[in-house]
Each structure stands twice: as C-alpha cells, then as structure tokens.
Amino acid sequence: MEKVHFVSNYLLNPTNPVTVNLIGAGGTGSVMITVLGRINNALLALDHPGLDVRLFDGDTISKNNTKRQLFSESEVGLPKSTCLINRVNRFWGTGWKAFAYHYTTENKYLMRNCKSANITISCVDKVQARFEIAEILRKIKLTENHPDRCIYWLDLGNSRYTGQSLIGTVHPVRQPTSKLYEPTERLPFVTEEYRNLLLQTEETDKSPSCSAAEALAEQDLFINPAIATMAGRLLMNMFTEGVINVRGFFMNIEDYQMQPITVNSIPLEFLNPLSVAA
C-alpha cells in the first residue's frame, strides 16, 4: 500500500491561529513571509483561524540585499525582520511579530518564550544553523494541549540553480487506521535523512558576497521565489487536503525540473518513532 501522512488534526481544526516560526529573512525568507500572508488570507476565507507568524532574523538590510532579496534601497540599515513584518501587517492587517535576532540557543529570551510553534520554517544559509534548529526542536517536550506545541519543521535551502524543501515531524503524529493507505506517523528531519550530505556541503559553504554582482552570480534571481512558492503549495495542501503523499521536493530551475520526495521514500530506519535523532 502507498504510504501517506495524515496531517495533525490541530492544523485542520485549531482553536487558535496556527503558530509559525519563520527563521531567516534573506533571499528565501523574504519571499516566504509573503507566501505565508497569502496562505493566511486564503485560510481565513475558508473559515479557518489562519496563521500567527513570528519572524526571526538578526541581520540588517545592506545595499546588496536590495538586488536579489525583497528589500528596497530606502530600507537599507533597517532590521530585516522588522521591515518585512511591518510590510505584511500593513498590507493584510495581520498582527504578526518580528524578532530582530537569530534563532539560537544563545538567546535566553527566545528559549524561554518563543522557541516553540506549531510549524517551524527555516530559510537559513548555514548548515550549522539547521543542526542547531534540530537540536532545539528535539528538546521541546510534547505538550498536547499547549497552543504552541511543536508539530512540523519545514526546511528550505538552495544553491545557485538548485534547491530543496523537506517537511519533518517534531514528534510522531497520531494516525487514523486506513484500508487504502499505510499511515506514517513520523517524517524525518532534513538533518537526519541527509546528514552526511549536509556535512559535506558545510565544508564548501561560502562567505557572504561582497557585491551585488557576486550575489547574483552565486544564486539565480528566481531560485528563492521558486522554492518558497512550491513550499507554500505543500503547506496549503496540508491545510486543505489533510493528507500528503509528498513531503518535499528537489528543484533545478536551470533544467526546469522538479523531483518530489514522497512519503514512500522514507528509509526504513526512520519509520520507527523511537529511533534516535541525528
């Protein structure tokens, strides 16, 4: 039978807006916040409580950021997170919050007050940041009745022409019985399933580009919005369909190709909810 994942019922019938921690406000994150705004607007039209988003990024806008990221020259010097959240709140009338610091264990305020959300979305450019996010999420205890209980982690990443997105479960999600499908309660983190590949990538990570020309040469102008849009499609499908057989994708915009990552493709060692996290 085909393996599928039935989405946590809390996302489908929440008592409050679904909380989202968006980590990173750069090339992909600056687009993803707008994607989340569109998802929220659509969910409200479907009588769903919508989303409550918190955006984390400790960087300020530089002139080079205005060439590939969604910032203007009049915003140079402002905190990325504050700028984007203010823009979204004015446009859609939301009350989302900006945190002008990085999502890290070194920030004690974050660890005490806002590390947990129903959905965590990472748009970071460093491998080590992904492993730190995984460590933070794994240490959050399962609290079924808490409105900010951790359920899913969606990671987005890219290189010059290629990128990927993969969603994992922070804790196993209770599944219904089915005669048609094989329900899968656990979706592995990107840091588990692709640990070795990430570690190899870390060795070749480049420092930030010194000029706008270098930034555009290192990353295609449209790779970030392409990834964010398809990741948004995956999230919207979870909210509206309640079941997924695709948990992510690989994308190559140079060759105009996209390869879905199916629930069927989960290695056997990750199907056991008691397996040790990487």
Side-chain angles (χ1 to χ4, degrees):
M1 289 191 292
E2 181 184 13
K3 292 185 180 72
V4 299
H5 174 75
F6 287 91
V7 177
S8 170
N9 188 60
Y10 185 76
L11 266 63
L12 307 178
N13 299 290
T15 54
N16 301 290
V18 172
T19 54
V20 179
N21 278 352
L22 177 58
I23 305 170
T28 303
S30 62
V31 180
M32 194 66 200
I33 189 67
T34 302
V35 170
L36 292 174
R38 298 184 66 185
I39 291 175
N40 177 68
N41 206 37
L43 291 176
L44 293 175
L46 297 173
D47 294 325
H48 186 283
L51 307 177
D52 183 15
V53 178
R54 296 175 294 210
L55 175 59
F56 299 86
D57 196 301
D59 293 338
T60 57
I61 302 167
S62 68
K63 188 171 183 179
N64 292 341
N65 296 151
T66 65
K67 308 307 177 185
R68 192 174 52 82
Q69 303 176 20
L70 293 186
F71 301 108
S72 67
E73 293 206 11
S74 64
E75 296 167 329
V76 170
L78 298 176
K80 288 184 176 181
S81 58
T82 304
C83 178
L84 290 172
I85 286 295
N86 286 343
R87 188 189 303 169
V88 169
N89 286 344
R90 287 196 302 268
F91 190 87
W92 273 294
T94 49
W96 295 355
K97 297 178 179 63
F99 294 87
Y101 49 75
H102 296 303
Y103 187 93
T104 172
T105 53
E106 295 178 359
N107 191 297
K108 303 304 180 184
Y109 175 83
L110 183 150
M111 292 296 104
R112 288 194 306 268
N113 300 287
C114 48
K115 64 181 177 180
S116 179
N118 303 143
I119 303 174
T120 298
I121 303 175
S122 54
C123 304
V124 296
D125 56 4
K126 294 296 181 183
V127 170
Q128 185 55 42
R130 288 181 171 85
F131 282 105
E132 185 167 9
I133 292 169
E135 180 183 0
I136 293 172
L137 295 180
R138 284 296 185 208
K139 290 181 178 179
I140 298 175
K141 296 181 180 179
L142 176 62
T143 51
E144 287 289 353
N145 297 320
H146 196 283
D148 282 344
R149 58 185 176 275
C150 281
I151 307 174
Y152 295 105
W153 174 24
L154 176 64
D155 178 71
L156 288 68
N158 70 281
S159 57
R160 183 176 184 181
Y161 294 115
T162 63
Q164 76 286 329
S165 179
L166 189 69
I167 193 162
T169 54
V170 180
H171 300 283
V173 175
R174 187 177 303 169
Q175 301 286 288
T177 57
S178 175
K179 295 182 178 179
L180 298 177
Y181 303 102
E182 182 179 339
T184 303
E185 63 180 7
R186 181 166 185 258
L187 308 177
F189 282 178
V190 65
T191 51
E192 296 175 294
E193 190 170 356
Y194 297 102
R195 177 184 177 87
N196 293 335
L197 182 60
L198 285 172
L199 292 175
Q200 292 174 12
T201 303
E202 184 179 29
E203 298 176 358
T204 59
D205 272 354
K206 297 182 178 180
S207 58
S209 303
C210 298
S211 68
E214 285 183 15
L216 289 169
E218 288 181 5
Q219 293 193 30
D220 187 89
L221 185 62
F222 295 103
I223 184 63
N224 302 115
I227 293 171
T229 298
M230 292 309 300
R233 175 66 180 85
L234 174 60
L235 282 176
M236 194 63 189
N237 190 54
M238 293 175 67
F239 282 110
T240 57
E241 301 298 328
V243 60
I244 56 172
N245 63 350
V246 172
R247 57 195 174 98
F249 57 85
F250 292 108
M251 175 181 292
N252 185 326
I253 64 172
E254 184 179 29
D255 297 332
Y256 301 95
Q257 294 182 352
M258 188 170 73
Q259 176 65 42
I261 306 172
T262 65
V263 177
N264 264 334
S265 67
I266 298 177
L268 292 176
E269 61 265 30
F270 295 115
L271 294 178
N272 182 354
L274 299 179
S275 60
V276 179

